[in-house]
Amino acid sequence: MVFPIPGKGRHLQRYNDQGCRLVVGCIPYRFKSEGSERTNNEVEVLLVSSPKSQEVMFPKGGWEFGESIKEAARRETLEEAGVLGNVEDELGIWRFKSKSQEIYHEGYMFPLLVTEELDPWPEKNVRKRAWMTVVEARDACKQWWMKEALDRLINRLPSPDELSPARPADEQEIALATPVEQRFVPAIQANIEEEQDVLPSSLS
């Protein structure tokens, strides 16, 4: 596979009407195992290190002319994290100040469900990557807007309770009973049925 050369498209960067650089990124994610239920407690996310520090974050970069926003998200994720996958619906838009420049960026974030992990990848020599649980990622990533994007992704995915099959109402009532009550419920129901059978016809 031939990789694009990272960092060579600065002259192609997009800016909005207020002069904010448009930045696009992804939260690459997967489920812990092939047999996992696809729920938010079975998710791992991929973070990458900064080339200039030990700070970790989700892959992101400038949106360039000549590509759609999802193409930009996919490209940046390939360059920085070395993964391929399906870019899903946008998580949101955030405005934040650049740490290296005195300008504001407008950031768009997308989930990317990973289907393939490459080695090598374009920025392997300058970045490290690590799969983390959601809790670990929230603690490791210091960029507030990326934390918010992660929360939106997790809230979008179904919880285990939402995938649990619903039980019939009569089974739910029995399940709520204590062990002692469970022993007496059938007997009480049988007595009621017998009493109904011997009631005078005028009272039935």
Side-chain angles (χ1 to χ4, degrees):
M1 178 178 290
V2 177
F3 295 125
I5 300 174
K8 297 299 183 181
R10 291 290 180 181
H11 63 290
L12 299 175
Q13 297 293 293
R14 293 178 186 247
Y15 293 81
N16 67 12
D17 294 339
Q18 290 76 44
C20 295
R21 181 175 176 233
L22 301 185
V23 171
V24 183
C26 278
I27 299 179
Y29 75 99
R30 68 183 183 186
F31 296 94
K32 291 180 182 178
S33 65
E34 289 292 333
S36 295
E37 287 189 334
R38 298 206 157 196
T39 57
N40 54 20
N41 68 334
E42 291 291 324
V43 168
E44 293 178 323
V45 293
L46 185 65
L47 289 89
V48 296
S49 64
S50 167
K52 300 176 183 178
S53 69
Q54 294 301 308
E55 183 179 357
V56 296
M57 65 197 73
F58 296 113
K60 66 169 178 61
W63 180 9
E64 299 177 0
F65 289 107
E67 61 184 357
S68 71
I69 192 167
K70 285 191 174 183
E71 288 172 344
R74 190 178 292 109
R75 173 181 53 76
E76 287 294 340
T77 305
L78 169 61
E79 289 177 358
E80 296 189 0
V83 292
L84 302 173
N86 302 317
V87 179
E88 299 172 345
D89 291 340
E90 180 185 293
L91 292 167
I93 306 171
W94 290 264
R95 182 169 292 191
F96 59 95
K97 192 172 184 180
S98 169
K99 290 185 177 181
S100 59
Q101 305 171 25
E102 290 299 314
I103 62 171
Y104 281 88
H105 291 174
E106 190 171 88
Y108 300 74
M109 289 295 287
F110 296 83
L112 182 139
L113 180 57
V114 173
T115 58
E116 187 176 357
E117 191 169 343
L118 305 178
D119 194 2
W121 70 96
E123 298 189 14
K124 179 178 180 178
N125 292 336
V126 293
R127 294 185 191 271
K128 295 179 180 179
R129 63 185 180 188
W131 286 101
M132 300 185 186
T133 66
V134 173
V135 173
E136 291 169 339
R138 281 199 188 103
D139 183 60
C141 181
K142 304 306 180 185
Q143 300 198 32
W144 63 270
W145 65 284
M146 288 190 172
K147 290 176 185 279
E148 286 190 5
L150 176 59
D151 288 341
R152 291 189 186 184
L153 170 60
I154 297 307
N155 290 335
R156 179 182 294 182
L157 296 171
S159 67
D161 291 341
E162 291 173 327
L163 292 188
S164 298
R167 290 180 297 179
D170 56 344
E171 290 185 15
Q172 293 178 15
E173 291 173 2
I174 295 297
L176 292 174
T178 64
V180 174
E181 289 169 332
Q182 288 175 3
R183 289 200 297 270
F184 285 101
V185 165
I188 292 170
Q189 290 176 339
N191 289 338
I192 291 173
E193 292 171 0
E194 289 176 4
E195 290 174 2
Q196 289 175 342
D197 288 340
V198 300
L199 281 175
S201 58
S202 61
L203 298 178
S204 60

mmCIF file of all heavy atoms in Angstrom, residues 159-182:
data_model
loop_
_atom_site.group_PDB
_atom_site.id
_atom_site.type_symbol
_atom_site.label_atom_id
_atom_site.label_comp_id
_atom_site.label_asym_id
_atom_site.label_seq_id
_atom_site.Cartn_x
_atom_site.Cartn_y
_atom_site.Cartn_z
ATOM 1 N N SER A 159 -27.039 0.314 25.499
ATOM 2 C CA SER A 159 -26.558 -0.223 26.767
ATOM 3 C C SER A 159 -26.954 -1.695 26.851
ATOM 4 O O SER A 159 -27.832 -2.155 26.114
ATOM 5 C CB SER A 159 -27.171 0.547 27.938
ATOM 6 O OG SER A 159 -28.566 0.303 28.007
ATOM 7 N N PRO A 160 -26.328 -2.477 27.751
ATOM 8 C CA PRO A 160 -26.707 -3.894 27.885
ATOM 9 C C PRO A 160 -28.187 -4.076 28.206
ATOM 10 O O PRO A 160 -28.824 -5.009 27.705
ATOM 11 C CB PRO A 160 -25.815 -4.377 29.043
ATOM 12 C CG PRO A 160 -24.650 -3.457 29.033
ATOM 13 C CD PRO A 160 -25.178 -2.125 28.595
ATOM 14 N N ASP A 161 -28.759 -3.198 29.022
ATOM 15 C CA ASP A 161 -30.168 -3.316 29.385
ATOM 16 C C ASP A 161 -31.078 -3.179 28.175
ATOM 17 O O ASP A 161 -32.114 -3.832 28.087
ATOM 18 C CB ASP A 161 -30.549 -2.252 30.423
ATOM 19 C CG ASP A 161 -29.890 -2.510 31.768
ATOM 20 O OD1 ASP A 161 -29.467 -3.670 31.990
ATOM 21 O OD2 ASP A 161 -29.784 -1.579 32.570
ATOM 22 N N GLU A 162 -30.667 -2.333 27.233
ATOM 23 C CA GLU A 162 -31.503 -2.100 26.056
ATOM 24 C C GLU A 162 -31.540 -3.309 25.135
ATOM 25 O O GLU A 162 -32.485 -3.486 24.371
ATOM 26 C CB GLU A 162 -31.003 -0.875 25.282
ATOM 27 C CG GLU A 162 -31.229 0.434 26.006
ATOM 28 C CD GLU A 162 -30.577 1.607 25.310
ATOM 29 O OE1 GLU A 162 -29.507 1.419 24.701
ATOM 30 O OE2 GLU A 162 -31.130 2.712 25.380
ATOM 31 N N LEU A 163 -30.516 -4.186 25.221
ATOM 32 C CA LEU A 163 -30.479 -5.368 24.374
ATOM 33 C C LEU A 163 -31.016 -6.608 25.067
ATOM 34 O O LEU A 163 -31.147 -7.656 24.444
ATOM 35 C CB LEU A 163 -29.038 -5.639 23.901
ATOM 36 C CG LEU A 163 -28.453 -4.622 22.927
ATOM 37 C CD1 LEU A 163 -27.115 -5.125 22.416
ATOM 38 C CD2 LEU A 163 -29.379 -4.375 21.747
ATOM 39 N N SER A 164 -31.307 -6.526 26.384
ATOM 40 C CA SER A 164 -31.833 -7.675 27.116
ATOM 41 C C SER A 164 -33.248 -7.956 26.658
ATOM 42 O O SER A 164 -34.072 -7.037 26.600
ATOM 43 C CB SER A 164 -31.810 -7.406 28.626
ATOM 44 O OG SER A 164 -30.486 -7.202 29.066
ATOM 45 N N PRO A 165 -33.583 -9.227 26.345
ATOM 46 C CA PRO A 165 -34.949 -9.538 25.912
ATOM 47 C C PRO A 165 -35.945 -9.306 27.035
ATOM 48 O O PRO A 165 -35.676 -9.643 28.193
ATOM 49 C CB PRO A 165 -34.866 -11.025 25.530
ATOM 50 C CG PRO A 165 -33.684 -11.549 26.275
ATOM 51 C CD PRO A 165 -32.707 -10.402 26.386
ATOM 52 N N ALA A 166 -37.077 -8.704 26.710
ATOM 53 C CA ALA A 166 -38.117 -8.441 27.709
ATOM 54 C C ALA A 166 -38.836 -9.738 28.058
ATOM 55 O O ALA A 166 -39.123 -10.561 27.192
ATOM 56 C CB ALA A 166 -39.107 -7.424 27.158
ATOM 57 N N ARG A 167 -39.127 -9.931 29.354
ATOM 58 C CA ARG A 167 -39.857 -11.108 29.803
ATOM 59 C C ARG A 167 -41.337 -10.797 29.899
ATOM 60 O O ARG A 167 -41.708 -9.654 30.152
ATOM 61 C CB ARG A 167 -39.332 -11.561 31.173
ATOM 62 C CG ARG A 167 -37.935 -12.139 31.115
ATOM 63 C CD ARG A 167 -37.473 -12.552 32.476
ATOM 64 N NE ARG A 167 -37.379 -11.394 33.371
ATOM 65 C CZ ARG A 167 -37.012 -11.471 34.639
ATOM 66 N NH1 ARG A 167 -36.744 -12.628 35.177
ATOM 67 N NH2 ARG A 167 -36.928 -10.387 35.383
ATOM 68 N N PRO A 168 -42.201 -11.818 29.757
ATOM 69 C CA PRO A 168 -43.634 -11.580 29.947
ATOM 70 C C PRO A 168 -43.916 -11.030 31.328
ATOM 71 O O PRO A 168 -43.171 -11.288 32.281
ATOM 72 C CB PRO A 168 -44.238 -12.982 29.766
ATOM 73 C CG PRO A 168 -43.221 -13.743 28.970
ATOM 74 C CD PRO A 168 -41.884 -13.180 29.358
ATOM 75 N N ALA A 169 -45.034 -10.292 31.466
ATOM 76 C CA ALA A 169 -45.352 -9.615 32.732
ATOM 77 C C ALA A 169 -45.489 -10.597 33.883
ATOM 78 O O ALA A 169 -45.030 -10.336 34.998
ATOM 79 C CB ALA A 169 -46.640 -8.813 32.562
ATOM 80 N N ASP A 170 -46.097 -11.793 33.649
ATOM 81 C CA ASP A 170 -46.278 -12.732 34.751
ATOM 82 C C ASP A 170 -44.951 -13.292 35.242
ATOM 83 O O ASP A 170 -44.743 -13.520 36.429
ATOM 84 C CB ASP A 170 -47.219 -13.864 34.351
ATOM 85 C CG ASP A 170 -46.731 -14.590 33.095
ATOM 86 O OD1 ASP A 170 -45.865 -14.038 32.393
ATOM 87 O OD2 ASP A 170 -47.228 -15.694 32.829
ATOM 88 N N GLU A 171 -43.964 -13.477 34.303
ATOM 89 C CA GLU A 171 -42.640 -13.935 34.711
ATOM 90 C C GLU A 171 -41.918 -12.869 35.514
ATOM 91 O O GLU A 171 -41.183 -13.166 36.452
ATOM 92 C CB GLU A 171 -41.806 -14.309 33.484
ATOM 93 C CG GLU A 171 -42.283 -15.565 32.780
ATOM 94 C CD GLU A 171 -41.355 -15.956 31.654
ATOM 95 O OE1 GLU A 171 -40.224 -15.419 31.619
ATOM 96 O OE2 GLU A 171 -41.745 -16.785 30.819
ATOM 97 N N GLN A 172 -42.084 -11.580 35.143
ATOM 98 C CA GLN A 172 -41.452 -10.495 35.880
ATOM 99 C C GLN A 172 -41.984 -10.437 37.307
ATOM 100 O O GLN A 172 -41.233 -10.205 38.254
ATOM 101 C CB GLN A 172 -41.701 -9.176 35.158
ATOM 102 C CG GLN A 172 -41.012 -9.082 33.806
ATOM 103 C CD GLN A 172 -41.324 -7.781 33.100
ATOM 104 O OE1 GLN A 172 -41.812 -6.844 33.709
ATOM 105 N NE2 GLN A 172 -41.052 -7.724 31.804
ATOM 106 N N GLU A 173 -43.295 -10.663 37.488
ATOM 107 C CA GLU A 173 -43.871 -10.619 38.833
ATOM 108 C C GLU A 173 -43.316 -11.737 39.697
ATOM 109 O O GLU A 173 -42.975 -11.532 40.857
ATOM 110 C CB GLU A 173 -45.395 -10.727 38.733
ATOM 111 C CG GLU A 173 -46.033 -9.484 38.120
ATOM 112 C CD GLU A 173 -47.509 -9.681 37.878
ATOM 113 O OE1 GLU A 173 -48.010 -10.768 38.221
ATOM 114 O OE2 GLU A 173 -48.153 -8.755 37.362
ATOM 115 N N ILE A 174 -43.196 -12.950 39.144
ATOM 116 C CA ILE A 174 -42.643 -14.059 39.909
ATOM 117 C C ILE A 174 -41.189 -13.794 40.255
ATOM 118 O O ILE A 174 -40.721 -14.090 41.351
ATOM 119 C CB ILE A 174 -42.764 -15.376 39.108
ATOM 120 C CG1 ILE A 174 -44.240 -15.731 38.908
ATOM 121 C CG2 ILE A 174 -42.026 -16.505 39.809
ATOM 122 C CD1 ILE A 174 -44.996 -15.992 40.183
ATOM 123 N N ALA A 175 -40.421 -13.192 39.308
ATOM 124 C CA ALA A 175 -39.003 -12.919 39.542
ATOM 125 C C ALA A 175 -38.817 -11.925 40.673
ATOM 126 O O ALA A 175 -37.793 -11.939 41.367
ATOM 127 C CB ALA A 175 -38.356 -12.390 38.274
ATOM 128 N N LEU A 176 -39.785 -11.025 40.902
ATOM 129 C CA LEU A 176 -39.678 -10.038 41.965
ATOM 130 C C LEU A 176 -40.004 -10.616 43.330
ATOM 131 O O LEU A 176 -39.734 -10.003 44.354
ATOM 132 C CB LEU A 176 -40.622 -8.858 41.669
ATOM 133 C CG LEU A 176 -40.242 -7.996 40.467
ATOM 134 C CD1 LEU A 176 -41.339 -6.972 40.199
ATOM 135 C CD2 LEU A 176 -38.911 -7.300 40.694
ATOM 136 N N ALA A 177 -40.618 -11.803 43.377
ATOM 137 C CA ALA A 177 -41.008 -12.391 44.658
ATOM 138 C C ALA A 177 -39.792 -12.905 45.421
ATOM 139 O O ALA A 177 -38.782 -13.282 44.841
ATOM 140 C CB ALA A 177 -41.991 -13.533 44.418
ATOM 141 N N THR A 178 -39.898 -12.932 46.758
ATOM 142 C CA THR A 178 -38.835 -13.495 47.590
ATOM 143 C C THR A 178 -38.924 -15.011 47.532
ATOM 144 O O THR A 178 -39.955 -15.574 47.136
ATOM 145 C CB THR A 178 -39.006 -13.038 49.051
ATOM 146 O OG1 THR A 178 -40.233 -13.578 49.538
ATOM 147 C CG2 THR A 178 -39.037 -11.538 49.158
ATOM 148 N N PRO A 179 -37.872 -15.744 47.960
ATOM 149 C CA PRO A 179 -37.938 -17.212 47.953
ATOM 150 C C PRO A 179 -39.123 -17.760 48.738
ATOM 151 O O PRO A 179 -39.744 -18.732 48.327
ATOM 152 C CB PRO A 179 -36.600 -17.611 48.586
ATOM 153 C CG PRO A 179 -35.682 -16.484 48.235
ATOM 154 C CD PRO A 179 -36.534 -15.262 48.278
ATOM 155 N N VAL A 180 -39.446 -17.161 49.905
ATOM 156 C CA VAL A 180 -40.584 -17.637 50.692
ATOM 157 C C VAL A 180 -41.877 -17.444 49.927
ATOM 158 O O VAL A 180 -42.736 -18.334 49.855
ATOM 159 C CB VAL A 180 -40.652 -16.888 52.051
ATOM 160 C CG1 VAL A 180 -41.920 -17.276 52.805
ATOM 161 C CG2 VAL A 180 -39.426 -17.206 52.886
ATOM 162 N N GLU A 181 -42.044 -16.274 49.312
ATOM 163 C CA GLU A 181 -43.258 -15.990 48.558
ATOM 164 C C GLU A 181 -43.399 -16.944 47.379
ATOM 165 O O GLU A 181 -44.488 -17.375 47.033
ATOM 166 C CB GLU A 181 -43.231 -14.538 48.051
ATOM 167 C CG GLU A 181 -43.408 -13.518 49.167
ATOM 168 C CD GLU A 181 -43.123 -12.104 48.696
ATOM 169 O OE1 GLU A 181 -42.328 -11.963 47.756
ATOM 170 O OE2 GLU A 181 -43.688 -11.163 49.268
ATOM 171 N N GLN A 182 -42.247 -17.297 46.765
ATOM 172 C CA GLN A 182 -42.295 -18.190 45.611
ATOM 173 C C GLN A 182 -42.871 -19.548 45.991
ATOM 174 O O GLN A 182 -43.543 -20.194 45.188
ATOM 175 C CB GLN A 182 -40.891 -18.358 45.015
ATOM 176 C CG GLN A 182 -40.395 -17.129 44.281
ATOM 177 C CD GLN A 182 -38.976 -17.284 43.809
ATOM 178 O OE1 GLN A 182 -38.382 -18.334 43.982
ATOM 179 N NE2 GLN A 182 -38.435 -16.248 43.208
#
